[in-house]
Amino acid sequence: MDKVLENRICLLIKEMTLEEKTGMIHGAGLFRTAGVERIHIPPLKMSDGPMGVRSEFVNDQWMPVGTPDDYVTYCPSNSAIAMTWNRKLARNAGKVLGEEARGRGKDVILAPGINIKRTPACGRNFEYISEDPRLTSELAVPIVRGIETSDVAACVKHFAMNNQETERLWVNVEADERTMREIYFPAFQAVVQKAGAKSIMGSYNLIRGTHVCENKDIMGTVLRKEWGFDGTIISDWGAVHTTKGTAEGPLDIEMSVTSDFDDYFLANPLISEIRKGHIDEACVDEKVRNILRMMVRLHMIELTEVPDSDGKKKILVQKNKNRKAGSYNTAKHRFEVLKVARESITLLKNEDRKLPLDPAIDKVLVIGQNAVISQAMGGGSAEIKALYEITPLLGISKFLGGNCEVRYARGYDIPAKKESDHNWQEDSLDASKAAAETAKETEDSARLRKEAVELAKEYKHVIYVGGLNHDQDLEGQDRADLTLPYGQDRLITELLEVRPDMTIVMLAGSPVSMKPWADRAKAIVWMSYSGMEGGTALAEVLFGAVNPSGKLAETLPEEIPECFRKEAYFPGRPLTDEEKKHMNAHLTQTYAEGIFVGYRYYEKNRIPVQFCFGHGLSYTDFTYDNLKIEEIPSKARANGFDVQLQVRNVGALEGKETVQLYLGEKTVSPENPVKELKAFEKICLRPRETKTVLLKITMEDFMHYDEAAGTWRLKHGDYRIYVGSSLQDIQLTQDITI
């Protein structure tokens, strides 16, 4: 820690009044705090979100300013970035987001979201990276580093255990220490200790009976003390519920969705409690200290020590003229998001090499509403005022050009939403909606289905683009099941009867069930919300200009796992009488599955899935060979192992392959997963080219958390190293003894 800086911050705080200090620790606008104009401390300006900088709002109303200068680059969602398995692209995506935020005059961007995808039904999964903590960590770190290159703080969210939208403000999470340490904490620890994240967002929920934003165990002991976080902790909007508990806790800034800023818990109520002697003013000083430290690190201000008229030391606050200016809506940004979109497209199935399609075809029929609707302005706080958005239909049409007739049929109907005279966020502190039921087929959809099926009979080449939209992938609600909405299963089934080689594109931010028709389909492509150039990337993959290299960052199960159909697992059970006495909650959610989340659960319980974690095909083929494992020696003990192998492109096209390394016990213990992802590397190979891949695993990768001892333990014994193209497509294995 910079002792000179800390001393100057302390001196500056002594010059401030209580009112000035409290103005810095709560919202003075919907997306800003108050500055201290008297001594030139600026306000802290923030913005959503994870897919681009949100449109500008009036300071005290959820009403867009309405000027045309806040159009931005629509970035790929974190679920799309995750499918690239590409650390460099993740960093570049973060860099675009940071530059755009700074270009719009923001100091903090509320991103990335890195919560683990505990259940496939969570409505906000499209904002998150993966069900796996290692993959989440490996991509979150470069995203944060990329954002913060532009003198903008990444506010990493939502710490911690915010894994459902149902009763998100009032659900109490109960999980054992091992589960938290092995599954839900690692990515947050990584962005703090490896990426140096400058701010963290406190989540809505409770953990073990206490709301996170005043939870001294989670925010204080773990985040501040164990991980050494000295940045700024900002509440989710409306996540603070008390004055004393929050003031005396580690949280620094209270934000909310209402405009009564002076009545926030850390505003006038806090001043009153301090004046009465109920709360020590030092609590406020600590929060201001963390904020000022972040401001200096962001090059917002410079603190200079000067003598005052009495010869005593005084701190002069000046604007740092060397702060980066940022930029937005540049051609470079648009190209960077296109590169991410290209590598996010994931080929799930390609029987008989049906893809790629011939770009010289004379005519093609595109069916499905997701081919034409814009996704940018949906999803909740991830909504974006995009400069433009290339939809799948537009991408296909502009790729094929005038020599091909591209015809479109809706196929199904998405009922129009009721118009509202206010922004959804005004009501977002009300109890969360129940799980959204699957939208059924309407009369219009039935008519559109029949029309599309008849039309498909006339076309040799048919591309179906369906899936979900932001009526399902939506902040504030979860899904009741994984069934496709709007009667799509029947539509796809009937289309396959008349056009069995139809290409199917599923556009979604979370899993859907393809069970009714997947076995009959020849070609299935998966894409998430891939940003403003998503349609361009899709067309390039479908017609062979780009070889697909995406890999699933989450399992695609056939249905919501049985365990999550039990109230105790999801969305939670009513409180007991004893719980009602000591916690401000509506539900208790017990993570009874423990560490068996995502592929760990399916593999341990031998549950078949549609497509496994890490799966993704290419238009070329790869072989794996010559696995060699060498121990890395050290003076005290082994540091780990170097795992080396050769990968060869045996096909006729250049392609990218993600080599994945999993680790498990040779004889699997009941309390441990079969295997877990520990390393991966994405490589590009020309036809007939061979490359040597080096993957490193440390001794920590063999450890599990011992709750009784309160520490990580290495169990001696025999382990198996698995290397392959996915969780299930294991090419090479070797046993080692620890």
Side-chain angles (χ1 to χ4, degrees):
M1 186 173 288
D2 186 336
K3 292 183 178 179
V4 173
L5 173 61
E6 295 303 313
N7 184 57
R8 289 177 180 177
I9 289 174
C10 288
L11 290 173
L12 180 60
I13 290 172
K14 290 178 181 178
E15 298 179 25
M16 300 168 65
T17 67
L18 176 59
E19 287 76 11
E20 288 172 337
K21 289 185 289 189
T22 54
M24 292 180 64
I25 66 172
H26 70 83
L30 295 176
F31 284 103
R32 71 168 181 87
T33 59
V36 184
E37 189 174 354
R38 178 181 64 86
I39 52 177
H40 310 296
I41 297 175
L44 200 62
K45 298 176 182 177
M46 313 175 210
S47 178
D48 290 313
M51 295 164 71
V53 190
R54 203 170 173 188
S55 61
E56 212 66 45
F57 286 90
V58 176
N59 186 63
D60 59 353
Q61 299 178 60
W62 289 102
M63 179 185 299
V65 171
T67 54
D69 60 340
D70 57 355
Y71 286 97
V72 294
T73 301
Y74 173 27
C75 302
S77 64
N78 282 340
S79 58
I81 294 172
M83 291 191 295
T84 71
W85 289 61
N86 188 320
R87 297 175 184 87
K88 183 178 179 181
L89 287 184
R91 187 183 188 281
N92 290 346
K95 195 168 186 292
V96 168
L97 185 56
E99 287 180 355
E100 298 246 333
R102 185 79 279 278
R104 284 273 306 278
K106 308 304 178 185
D107 308 306
V108 179
I109 187 73
L110 308 179
I114 64 171
N115 294 99
I116 293 297
K117 301 184 183 186
R118 176 177 179 253
T119 165
C122 177
R124 216 165 174 180
N125 276 350
F126 73 97
E127 292 188 52
Y128 304 143
I129 293 174
S130 177
E131 65 189 30
D132 180 73
R134 178 56 59 92
L135 181 58
T136 303
S137 301
E138 291 289 327
L139 297 179
V141 166
I143 290 173
V144 170
R145 286 175 176 164
I147 289 171
E148 296 194 340
T149 59
S150 296
D151 291 341
V152 170
C155 187
V156 186
K157 59 187 187 182
H158 311 82
F159 188 66
M161 315 292 279
N162 185 169
N163 306 109
Q164 67 183 61
E165 292 300 285
T166 306
E167 292 287 3
R168 61 179 178 163
L169 276 74
W170 306 105
V171 60
N172 171 52
V173 173
E174 296 288 341
D176 61 64
E177 196 71 16
R178 182 188 178 192
T179 296
M180 292 195 292
R181 298 281 179 169
E182 292 193 20
I183 302 296
Y184 297 99
F185 284 1
F188 286 98
Q189 183 175 1
V191 297
V192 168
Q193 296 184 332
K194 295 181 180 180
K198 294 179 176 62
S199 67
I200 297 288
M201 181 183 289
S203 59
Y204 282 126
N205 52 287
L206 302 84
I207 296 179
R208 296 172 179 169
T210 304
H211 270 101
V212 170
C213 286
E214 57 185 273
N215 195 309
K216 295 177 183 178
D217 290 335
I218 300 301
M219 291 290 199
T221 302
V222 175
L223 179 59
R224 290 286 193 199
K225 294 180 181 178
E226 290 187 25
W227 300 348
F229 180 70
D230 65 353
T232 302
I233 304 177
I234 303 171
S235 79
D236 206 340
W237 270 232
V240 171
H241 300 279
T242 67
T243 294
K244 185 175 176 62
T246 308
E248 295 177 345
L251 185 93
D252 297 312
I253 298 175
E254 175 194 3
M255 299 300 293
S256 193
V257 302
T258 57
S259 59
D260 53 342
F261 308 116
D262 291 339
D263 295 327
Y264 281 16
F265 292 100
L266 296 187
N268 285 342
L270 174 57
I271 294 174
S272 177
E273 290 298 289
I274 291 174
R275 299 281 191 223
K276 293 174 183 176
H278 297 163
I279 297 174
D280 191 336
E281 189 173 343
C283 295
V284 178
D285 293 348
E286 181 62 25
K287 299 179 193 306
V288 173
R289 186 176 295 111
N290 293 331
I291 296 167
L292 288 171
R293 186 185 300 118
M294 182 177 74
M295 285 182 165
V296 172
R297 289 172 175 171
L298 294 177
H299 302 123
M300 294 175 64
I301 56 175
E302 292 180 307
L303 304 183
T304 307
E305 196 174 294
V306 296
D308 65 9
S309 57
D310 298 328
K312 296 180 181 180
K313 293 179 180 179
K314 181 180 179 180
I315 302 303
L316 177 66
V317 182
Q318 294 177 300
K319 181 179 180 180
N320 190 327
K321 296 180 180 179
N322 294 319
R323 191 181 190 191
K324 293 178 181 177
S327 60
Y328 63 108
N329 266 328
T330 66
K332 181 181 178 182
H333 289 177
R334 295 191 284 274
F335 182 57
E336 290 297 338
V337 300
L338 172 59
K339 289 194 290 185
V340 175
R342 284 169 173 163
E343 291 199 25
S344 73
I345 307 295
T346 303
L347 181 60
L348 298 181
K349 189 175 181 180
N350 195 21
E351 277 188 17
D352 304 326
R353 303 275 185 176
K354 290 297 180 183
L355 292 178
L357 299 171
D358 185 353
I361 57 177
D362 293 329
K363 63 178 185 176
V364 62
L365 173 64
V366 180
I367 301 173
Q369 280 262 54
N370 266 0
V372 297
I373 64 173
S374 297
Q375 307 285 356
M377 275 301 290
S381 57
E383 64 189 18
I384 296 302
K385 187 176 176 181
L387 181 66
Y388 66 82
E389 179 178 351
I390 305 296
T391 63
L393 181 64
L394 177 55
I396 291 168
S397 297
K398 70 186 184 72
F399 181 89
L400 292 175
N403 289 337
C404 179
E405 173 206 322
V406 180
R407 188 165 179 181
Y408 168 68
R410 285 169 62 190
Y412 58 89
D413 176 57
I414 301 176
K417 293 181 181 178
K418 294 181 180 179
E419 292 293 329
S420 175
D421 58 359
H422 64 277
N423 186 282
W424 65 272
Q425 210 144 3
E426 294 177 51
D427 301 324
S428 63
L429 298 188
D430 293 343
S432 294
K433 308 167 190 174
E437 296 293 331
T438 303
K440 305 300 181 184
E441 184 181 57
T442 65
E443 288 186 12
D444 282 341
S445 281
R447 174 180 55 80
L448 293 169
R449 170 173 49 80
K450 293 176 182 177
E451 290 175 358
V453 172
E454 287 302 310
L455 198 56
K457 296 176 182 178
E458 303 174 15
Y459 285 79
K460 180 180 179 181
H461 300 288
V462 177
I463 301 171
Y464 179 84
V465 185
L468 306 179
N469 58 49
H470 285 307
D471 289 344
Q472 297 85 34
D473 285 319
L474 179 65
E475 179 178 352
Q477 71 177 33
D478 299 313
R479 288 185 290 154
D481 55 48
L482 304 187
T483 305
L484 283 171
Y486 318 119
Q488 290 183 75
D489 283 330
R490 184 174 178 182
L491 170 61
I492 295 171
T493 300
E494 292 187 12
L495 286 170
L496 286 172
E497 289 176 358
V498 300
R499 185 53 58 203
D501 57 354
M502 175 178 74
T503 298
I504 298 174
V505 178
M506 285 285 104
L507 194 166
S510 50
V512 299
S513 175
M514 296 176 265
K515 188 176 180 179
W517 45 264
D519 287 346
R520 298 173 55 193
K522 297 285 188 182
I524 304 175
V525 174
W526 184 270
M527 68 180 295
S528 191
Y529 304 105
S530 300
M532 64 200 311
E533 290 287 350
T536 302
L538 176 64
E540 290 175 338
V541 168
L542 292 179
F543 292 95
V546 169
N547 194 347
S549 64
K551 299 280 188 178
L552 291 177
E554 61 191 301
T555 307
L556 299 186
E558 293 183 345
E559 57 187 5
I560 295 176
E562 184 62 32
C563 67
F564 291 119
R565 297 177 183 274
K566 301 173 184 176
E567 189 180 65
Y569 284 78
F570 181 80
R573 58 165 174 78
L575 302 187
T576 64
D577 290 340
E578 183 60 31
E579 286 174 327
K580 291 176 183 177
K581 295 176 184 178
H582 65 84
M583 71 173 71
N584 184 22
H586 294 171
L587 296 174
T588 283
Q589 170 63 278
T590 302
Y591 286 24
E593 75 284 356
I595 64 168
F596 295 101
V597 176
Y599 69 81
R600 291 167 172 80
Y601 171 82
Y602 303 111
E603 191 169 39
K604 187 73 171 181
N605 293 282
R606 299 179 180 178
I607 297 172
V609 299
Q610 296 176 123
F611 299 99
C612 72
F613 178 83
H615 173 70
L617 305 176
S618 172
Y619 294 151
T620 191
D621 297 297
F622 304 96
T623 60
Y624 290 58
D625 202 0
N626 296 327
L627 179 64
K628 297 177 182 178
I629 300 176
E630 293 185 4
E631 190 172 305
I632 305 171
S634 71
K635 292 180 180 179
R637 58 179 176 84
N639 285 331
F641 297 87
D642 282 342
V643 180
Q644 185 175 293
L645 66 144
Q646 291 183 323
V647 181
R648 180 172 175 79
N649 180 352
V650 296
L653 298 173
E654 180 178 286
K656 294 179 180 179
E657 170 70 333
T658 300
V659 182
Q660 303 163 39
L661 185 152
Y662 297 85
L663 177 64
E665 297 166 305
K666 183 178 179 181
T667 302
V668 182
S669 306
E671 68 272 15
N672 291 329
V674 175
K675 58 181 180 287
E676 300 176 282
L677 180 72
K678 294 299 180 182
F680 64 89
E681 195 64 45
K682 191 166 191 176
I683 58 173
C684 182
L685 293 167
R686 297 186 301 275
R688 308 302 172 184
E689 183 182 11
T690 300
K691 280 187 178 179
T692 298
V693 178
L694 177 64
L695 302 167
K696 291 182 178 289
I697 50 176
T698 67
M699 298 311 291
E700 285 74 20
D701 290 325
F702 293 83
M703 294 182 179
H704 289 288
Y705 193 80
D706 185 332
E707 291 194 53
T711 189
W712 293 84
R713 294 290 192 195
L714 175 61
K715 178 182 176 182
H716 292 184
D718 297 325
Y719 290 85
R720 180 161 292 168
I721 291 175
Y722 306 80
V723 180
S725 185
S726 75
L727 180 80
Q728 294 180 358
D729 186 12
I730 299 299
Q731 299 288 318
L732 304 168
T733 63
Q734 187 168 322
D735 296 339
I736 59 174
T737 300
I738 302 294

